[in-house]
Every structure is written in structure tokens, then in C-alpha cells.
Amino acid sequence: MGGMRLFLVNVCALAWSYTLMQQSDRTLLKVAEQVLRNLGSSKYVVVPRQELRPIPISEVQPRLVSLMKGMCLVLKPAGWEVDSEGHSGLRRLSDFLRNHLPSDRTMIDAVDFGRGFIHRLDTPSSGLILAATSLQGYCSLEWQMYTYQIVRDYVVL
């Protein structure tokens, strides 16, 4: 894990622990959040991979539901891998995003930051996936997740 990613994880872990303690003094959380905002505003350069795997049109495709500043929401169909930690040889959601997002999508190639994916869904399942498209978006989403501002609900049919 790269140094910047390790720092981000440690600040978020600190925020998570502090949030669980339910302290009335929020000074530490405010300082930590500002540190992440500053980190998110810094330059993070990723050299994109040269290999682009073509996505066959005949397959069920993911759908970009919403594109916001620094982040996006994607509907992942079954059979697509949220490839935040490697590659199993299946269809990769990062390939879909690489082909469908504007060119300022630096996090898609940031392996140290899980390619910008904030959470995963198993390959056989479908659902909404939050992904960061910039370091600022990543820091914001991680902060929200670690401080329980993002809620995940799972439904099994």
C-alpha cells in the first residue's frame, strides 16, 4: 500500500474510532476532515495502462447512473467484477468506467486507492457502486463511509 493511501486509511480509521466513541467534542474530527480535504486537493498523477480490453456490445453492460464532481454512481450487473484489488479474468468495472468517463478520471488507474471504488459487490450480484473519479472525491467518499454518513443496504431476492 502506497504512503498516501496508508495515510488516508489511518486518518479514516481514526475518524471511525472517534465516531464510535460518540464524543461531544468534534474538534479532532474537524481537523481530520480538513486534512483529508487538503489531501484530496493535492495533485495525484497516475500513468494509465496501455492495455484496454474491448467490451463486447452483446453483453449486459453496466450503466453510469450519475456523474458528480469527483465521483460517480454505477449500476453493476451480475457478471462484472469490481476490480479494486486485482483481476480474476472476468469483465472489469474499471474497464467500463475507463471507456465511459471523461478523461479526468485519475482514480481508475490508481491501484493504491482501489481504482476509486469505495466498496465492492460480489461478481454474481448486481447493484449500485460508488466510485471516485478524483482524489478529492475519493477522500470525501472515504470520509463519509468511515464516519457513517453513507449507509449500505443489501436486498436478496
Side-chain angles (χ1 to χ4, degrees):
M1 186 180 300
M4 187 185 295
R5 169 77 174 131
L6 184 59
F7 178 75
L8 174 75
V9 166
N10 286 326
V11 170
C12 285
L14 175 68
W16 174 77
S17 299
Y18 198 77
T19 300
L20 282 179
M21 291 188 324
Q22 299 177 346
Q23 298 293 309
S24 58
D25 181 7
R26 309 296 277 182
T27 306
L28 178 64
L29 279 179
K30 289 176 184 171
V31 170
E33 184 176 16
Q34 188 57 48
V35 166
L36 285 191
R37 286 185 191 278
N38 292 341
L39 177 67
S41 298
S42 65
K43 296 255 185 220
Y44 185 72
V45 178
V46 176
V47 178
R49 297 179 319 168
Q50 295 300 314
E51 159 218 350
L52 282 181
R53 211 180 77 167
I55 300 172
I57 304 260
S58 61
E59 299 176 356
V60 176
Q61 299 286 306
R63 187 167 53 96
L64 196 54
V65 175
S66 182
L67 184 59
M68 301 151 280
K69 183 179 180 183
M71 55 191 81
C72 66
L73 186 63
V74 184
L75 180 58
K76 180 195 96 61
W80 284 77
E81 174 185 26
V82 180
D83 55 312
S84 58
E85 297 178 355
H87 177 44
S88 65
L90 301 171
R91 294 172 286 181
R92 298 182 283 195
L93 201 55
S94 66
D95 286 341
F96 170 81
L97 291 176
R98 190 176 289 108
N99 289 321
H100 289 83
L101 288 176
S103 60
D104 63 343
R105 55 182 176 11
T106 57
M107 297 310 289
I108 301 301
D109 295 304
V111 177
D112 281 351
F113 292 88
R115 300 189 187 281
F117 295 116
I118 301 304
H119 59 98
R120 299 181 331 98
L121 283 176
D122 292 340
T123 302
S125 62
S126 62
L128 294 170
I129 296 287
L130 265 173
T133 58
S134 70
L135 184 57
Q136 188 172 20
Y138 187 84
C139 288
S140 174
L141 288 171
E142 284 282 288
W143 177 264
Q144 291 174 62
M145 187 177 73
Y146 275 93
T147 57
Y148 297 100
Q149 296 172 32
I150 293 176
V151 177
R152 292 180 272 187
D153 287 325
Y154 298 93
V155 177
V156 178
L157 302 176

